[in-house]
Amino acid sequence: MALEDLERKRKALYSDVNVILNNMEMTANELYRAADVAHHSKEILDNLDKEFEKQTGLQGMDIMFLFVAVALQLTRIVIVNDITNIENAGKGNRNEENLHKFQEKILGKLNNGKSISERPYYASMEHIVSTQGVPYDATSPLTEKALARMLKRENIPEWDFDLSEFVMEGKLGLFKGANHRFSTLGHDPVAGLIFGIANIMTNTITCVKRPLVGGLPILTTNHVIYTKEFKNPLIGVEASTSIMLTEMYRRIKEEPEAFTAALIKQIIHIGTDMYTTFGIQFPGANLVLSNKNVETITKNYINTGDIVKAGISALLSNLINFIISTIHLLLYDANKTLTKDLYNVRTRKIIMYSNSIATSSNLIWVGGNIASGNNKAIRQLDIGGLLVTIKHLLTDPKYIRKIKEEFIFGNFNKLIQGSDC
């Protein structure tokens, strides 16, 4: 072999050895680096944890959003409690007056101006749209004595038809005074959409006479007699519930505007009664419970007003959360080093903290009033907002924890692999 060939092979072998040694050195250095990262893993993870908290902590503009969100949530609580404040029914009740003004404005447009005489199972359109009361609010019976008293008045009232066959004998036996709400189906927020409307269109009152017999509620319907001026409603003899419903159905086909007017009047009437002293029973209560039990539960524990209030409060709370979240996310600057996920964590914290502060403030206020002897303050508890807060306290920490794990372990893996965080 020529000397030149040996020299060439020597140089090639030397080059290969250098490459191998360099690779071994690089591998050793990488192993030392990885070992160093592993050795200081706790410190690195702690630093990444601190970095996450630093980047997702509320600052500057986020603090302003938090204060605005808290203010809006507290304002919501105050306004909802004010609107749903319990007042005595009748004159001076703000909600009732406002709803009746609204009723006059809406139903006035449906008034065809025709004055038609009324008859059994038929309330004129003029009666429906021009009066505030409903027939299932009648509490006095049409007796010989009651009729005699009315005929002795200076201005003797007149009626559209002969009353003789509608005069009751004996006691009414359906309910006692103001507790008529817990006997009449017209005051049920769901069943009233059928029976209450039928009562309004047919001048009748439908009650649950005996709550349970053989597992089924027994319904009884009576005529309600008005004067020609649609005044002095008196409960007459028993009517037929099936005829009442049939007459309502027939009239819906022949005069749909009467049904529309009765529907509006029914909804408004439930609204006027909802936040009064007696309140409105929760749906179906008097179909399964005695009138006395329904009254006790409605006045002292839970009623439809409470359910509606909680629902409205929850909807408004979610609406505020949505508005705050949307505006805050729209202000995200993609040119900054903060990622969209980390910025979204700030948004979640704003919502979670604002809801928690508002709910805690309400709980402290209600608790303080109850402790001082004001048991009625329990009605001011923001149940809807509390449920929304609980939802965020259960879901938002999970989301934040997920993003945090991705941030910490993702960056730790980059360090293990030798990439920049």
Side-chain angles (χ1 to χ4, degrees), residues 179-190 208 270 273-274 278-289 291 294-295 297-299 302-305 307:
N179 71 2
H180 71 284
R181 287 193 191 180
F182 313 113
S183 175
T184 53
L185 278 180
H187 284 103
D188 186 292
V190 176
V208 180
I270 292 297
D273 283 351
M274 195 171 295
F278 287 95
I280 291 292
Q281 60 190 290
F282 60 85
N286 60 2
L287 293 175
V288 295
L289 301 172
N291 294 344
V294 174
E295 181 177 1
I297 292 171
T298 303
K299 290 173 65 176
I302 184 171
N303 55 50
T304 296
I307 298 171

Side-chain angles (χ1 to χ4, degrees), residues 166-220:
F166 297 96
V167 177
M168 294 185 66
E169 296 181 5
K171 295 182 179 180
L172 183 59
L174 297 175
F175 46 74
K176 294 180 180 180
N179 71 2
H180 71 284
R181 287 193 191 180
F182 313 113
S183 175
T184 53
L185 278 180
H187 284 103
D188 186 292
V190 176
L193 293 175
I194 297 175
F195 292 95
I197 292 173
N199 290 157
I200 292 171
M201 296 177 72
T202 61
N203 282 342
T204 54
I205 180 171
T206 302
C207 301
V208 180
K209 193 171 184 180
R210 292 187 298 273
L212 289 174
V213 174
L216 294 175
I218 298 300
L219 306 184
T220 179

Side-chain angles (χ1 to χ4, degrees), residues 254-301:
E254 297 177 358
E255 196 179 357
E257 61 272 20
F259 170 76
T260 302
L263 172 62
I264 294 172
K265 192 169 187 177
Q266 170 66 19
I267 294 172
I268 290 176
H269 185 76
I270 292 297
T272 61
D273 283 351
M274 195 171 295
Y275 296 106
T276 57
T277 305
F278 287 95
I280 291 292
Q281 60 190 290
F282 60 85
N286 60 2
L287 293 175
V288 295
L289 301 172
S290 68
N291 294 344
K292 185 176 181 180
N293 286 336
V294 174
E295 181 177 1
T296 300
I297 292 171
T298 303
K299 290 173 65 176
N300 301 321
Y301 298 101

Side-chain angles (χ1 to χ4, degrees), residues 240-388:
S240 168
T241 303
S242 59
I243 292 177
M244 173 193 74
L245 294 173
T246 301
E247 287 298 310
M248 177 184 72
Y249 177 70
R250 181 189 61 78
R251 195 170 179 191
I252 289 174
K253 294 192 297 181
E254 297 177 358
E255 196 179 357
E257 61 272 20
F259 170 76
T260 302
L263 172 62
I264 294 172
K265 192 169 187 177
Q266 170 66 19
I267 294 172
I268 290 176
H269 185 76
I270 292 297
T272 61
D273 283 351
M274 195 171 295
Y275 296 106
T276 57
T277 305
F278 287 95
I280 291 292
Q281 60 190 290
F282 60 85
N286 60 2
L287 293 175
V288 295
L289 301 172
S290 68
N291 294 344
K292 185 176 181 180
N293 286 336
V294 174
E295 181 177 1
T296 300
I297 292 171
T298 303
K299 290 173 65 176
N300 301 321
Y301 298 101
I302 184 171
N303 55 50
T304 296
D306 297 325
I307 298 171
V308 170
K309 178 181 177 180
I312 292 175
S313 191
L315 286 173
L316 291 176
S317 180
N318 280 323
L319 177 62
I320 293 171
N321 291 338
F322 174 75
I323 293 172
I324 293 295
S325 299
T326 302
I327 296 175
H328 188 256
L329 289 172
L330 286 174
L331 295 177
Y332 170 69
D333 187 354
N335 295 321
K336 292 186 177 181
T337 57
L338 191 67
T339 65
K340 186 70 176 287
D341 282 341
L342 295 182
Y343 187 82
N344 198 38
V345 169
R346 290 186 182 180
T347 304
R348 293 287 187 113
K349 285 185 176 181
I350 290 171
I351 299 304
M352 186 170 58
Y353 294 164
S354 62
N355 282 229
S356 298
I357 292 171
T359 297
S360 298
S361 300
N362 176 251
L363 288 172
I364 292 171
W365 186 88
V366 171
N369 275 270
I370 292 176
S372 64
N374 180 17
N375 293 328
K376 292 183 178 180
I378 191 66
R379 292 282 186 181
Q380 305 295 313
L381 183 63
D382 179 34
I383 297 175
L386 176 61
L387 294 175
V388 172

